[in-house]
Amino acid sequence: AVVSTQSGHYGRGRSDVRWAAIQKIKTVGPCYMAASGLDPVTEEQTRQGNHEHIVNLMEFCFKILETIKQFNSYTFGTNFTMKIGFNYGPVTDGIIGQNKVLYDIWGDTVNLASRMMSTGVVGRIQLPAACVPFLIDHFKLPRRGKVRVKGKGDMITHFCVERKTPEQIRSNIENRAANSTNSTDA
């Protein structure tokens, strides 16, 4: 029942145009894996420097946390929780199996996202410092500090805590564009 209810909430949220490039990859135990940027159009946009799909994936993460909070408020005695690990980078994707085929993604990017989840904090979205430049214009990303990550050692991580206001976003993008123009004029 919980899965179908959560799927129902997920399905309603999936109609948002911002999330068109987001694909549910799989669920394994308590882990729900989704990815963005795997389709050819979004891949090409990324190559051209458009990283909007990364911002949209982060928005989707917030929607998942909100959905769980709403679900808990509608049901008696439930307190489902979630930790979200976020990462950005190249992945390998493909079909696995012959009799029971499964689409999957794998690679260092996927492994690090999983480690961000496993070392994360309930109710928070954790990401490695390498993701900050792609999200800083749109979100507040306080530094968590060093976290011991299996296979990586100590890593600086951040939490994504909230979306910036439209005015802050506009100002950040304008300042970045102005700085880019000034650096090319020198």
Side-chain angles (χ1 to χ4, degrees):
V2 173
V3 173
S4 64
T5 303
Q6 287 180 330
S7 295
H9 286 290
Y10 170 80
R12 284 193 296 276
R14 291 282 297 140
S15 63
D16 191 314
V17 169
R18 295 172 298 167
W19 301 326
I22 298 172
Q23 298 176 34
K24 174 190 169 203
I25 304 300
K26 63 183 173 182
T27 55
V28 178
C31 181
Y32 173 95
M33 184 189 302
S36 179
L38 301 177
D39 62 282
V41 172
T42 309
E43 281 185 67
E44 183 56 32
Q45 290 170 345
T46 301
R47 278 193 284 280
Q48 294 176 9
N50 178 347
H51 297 93
E52 183 178 355
H53 73 97
I54 301 168
V55 172
N56 292 339
L57 184 58
M58 184 59 77
E59 297 263 5
F60 185 72
C61 292
F62 278 108
K63 182 64 175 177
I64 289 172
L65 289 174
E66 177 187 316
T67 299
I68 288 174
K69 187 176 181 180
Q70 288 175 351
F71 180 84
N72 285 340
S73 72
Y74 297 149
T75 57
F76 179 73
T78 61
N79 188 29
F80 290 108
T81 61
M82 180 176 277
K83 300 188 285 187
I84 296 179
F86 190 98
N87 195 20
Y88 167 71
V91 299
T92 301
D93 68 333
I95 305 294
I96 300 170
Q98 293 177 343
N99 297 327
K100 186 176 178 185
V101 296
L102 168 74
Y103 175 76
D104 203 357
I105 60 174
W106 55 95
D108 191 57
T109 300
V110 176
N111 292 340
L112 186 52
S114 176
R115 300 291 187 246
M116 291 294 101
M117 187 274 299
S118 65
T119 62
V121 174
V122 170
R124 310 285 300 267
I125 304 165
Q126 181 174 244
L127 55 142
C131 292
V132 169
F134 302 105
L135 298 166
I136 193 68
D137 287 342
H138 298 269
F139 300 96
K140 294 181 182 177
L141 304 167
R143 181 179 157 155
R144 179 181 183 190
K146 286 184 183 177
V147 173
R148 180 148 320 256
V149 177
K150 181 179 175 183
K152 298 287 185 182
D154 289 342
M155 291 187 73
I156 301 296
T157 67
H158 293 254
F159 289 123
C160 188
V161 295
E162 67 180 302
R163 184 161 178 67
K164 292 180 178 177
T165 66
E167 295 78 23
Q168 290 171 319
I169 294 168
R170 190 171 26 265
S171 175
N172 290 343
I173 292 171
E174 288 170 359
N175 288 339
R176 188 170 28 82
N179 290 338
S180 174
T181 302
N182 291 339
S183 67
T184 57
D185 291 342

